[in-house]
Amino acid sequence: MSEVAEVGGERLEVLLSAERIAARLPSLAAEVLARDLASDAIAVVALKGGLVFGADLLRHLPHTFAVDYVQARSYGSGVVSSGHVELLRDALLPIEGRDVVLIDDIVDTGLTSAFLLAHLRSRGARRVELVALLDKPERRKADVGAAITGFAIPDVFAVGYGLDLAERYRGLPFVGVPLGASDCA
Ligand code: IMP
Ligand code: MG
């Protein structure tokens, strides 16, 4: 029987505990570093979903890395992807000729990550590596190349550790699945 947590009156099935996530971070950082990034690489966190993962992963990456943010929108406030991605916020640092690590919450259809990878490359990055906490391989529609991902999960709607359901649950220390929301994935 998997663990169930109650959050604000909602029951969530715990998919990845805080301990499991924390235990994965050093090896994920090692996978990023194995790509031989320059010491002045830029870690670009994809807001808002990548915020919590990005903050934790950064502590395992070289502290010479610069940090910036991008924000794209694809889902609106609902749970069904529109397939259309727009850039709401661009990275402010100059990217041309630099190594970039794009830190995202989840590669679901891959449309958002693929869009952001293409965007950062179009700004002249020397190289862009994608690292995402979660991966839903069954749902892939866009090629995201050799992405580094923390955990492959089934086709469920996950919340917590940065991921939201209508802006709720981002601050949860674990990744869970709202029970009774199985028709939302
Ligand atoms: P995409 O389908 O890979 O383009 O995913 C776009 C964005 O939708 C992700 O960056 C997440 O912010 C959000 N998303 C995708 N799957 C989930 C999920 O299971 N829970 C919460 N947000 C999700
Ligand atoms: Mg996102």
Side-chain angles (χ1 to χ4, degrees):
M1 208 27 209
S2 51
E3 194 193 331
V4 173
E6 204 180 300
V7 181
E10 294 285 333
R11 293 169 73 242
L12 306 180
E13 183 188 338
V14 178
L15 196 61
L16 299 169
S17 67
E19 294 74 21
R20 246 186 107 186
I21 296 169
R24 181 73 173 99
L25 295 176
S27 57
L28 264 180
E31 286 179 50
V32 172
L33 290 180
R35 304 271 169 108
D36 283 328
L37 297 164
S39 60
D40 69 344
I42 308 176
V44 173
V45 179
L47 298 175
K48 301 177 206 170
L51 179 69
V52 177
F53 173 50
D56 283 349
L57 187 69
L58 273 172
R59 283 175 259 198
H60 295 271
L61 291 172
H63 306 307
T64 51
F65 281 18
V67 179
D68 210 334
Y69 308 98
V70 286
Q71 189 171 1
R73 175 165 61 195
S74 60
Y75 267 44
S77 59
V79 292
V80 179
S81 176
S82 64
H84 174 76
V85 185
E86 61 180 320
L87 189 68
L88 299 180
R89 184 202 192 272
D90 201 352
L92 301 181
L93 291 172
I95 279 173
E96 202 172 336
R98 305 280 293 273
D99 288 354
V100 172
V101 191
L102 174 62
I103 302 177
D104 214 343
D105 55 354
I106 184 167
V107 187
D108 180 20
T109 64
L111 288 163
T112 308
S113 300
F115 170 89
L116 289 172
L117 286 170
H119 172 71
L120 294 167
R121 286 183 185 124
S122 78
R123 284 193 52 189
R126 190 173 81 95
R127 199 139 59 102
V128 190
E129 303 289 345
L130 169 65
V131 56
L133 178 75
L134 304 176
D135 179 13
K136 282 192 212 167
E138 287 169 45
R139 299 249 311 156
R140 197 75 82 252
K141 287 186 188 155
D143 183 13
V144 294
I148 299 163
T149 58
F151 301 92
I153 64 166
D155 183 8
V156 292
F157 197 81
V159 299
Y161 203 71
L163 294 108
D164 74 305
L165 174 59
E167 297 300 329
R168 302 177 73 185
Y169 306 126
R170 290 195 197 275
L172 280 178
F174 61 88
V175 172
V177 180
L179 293 170
S182 55
D183 53 339
C184 291

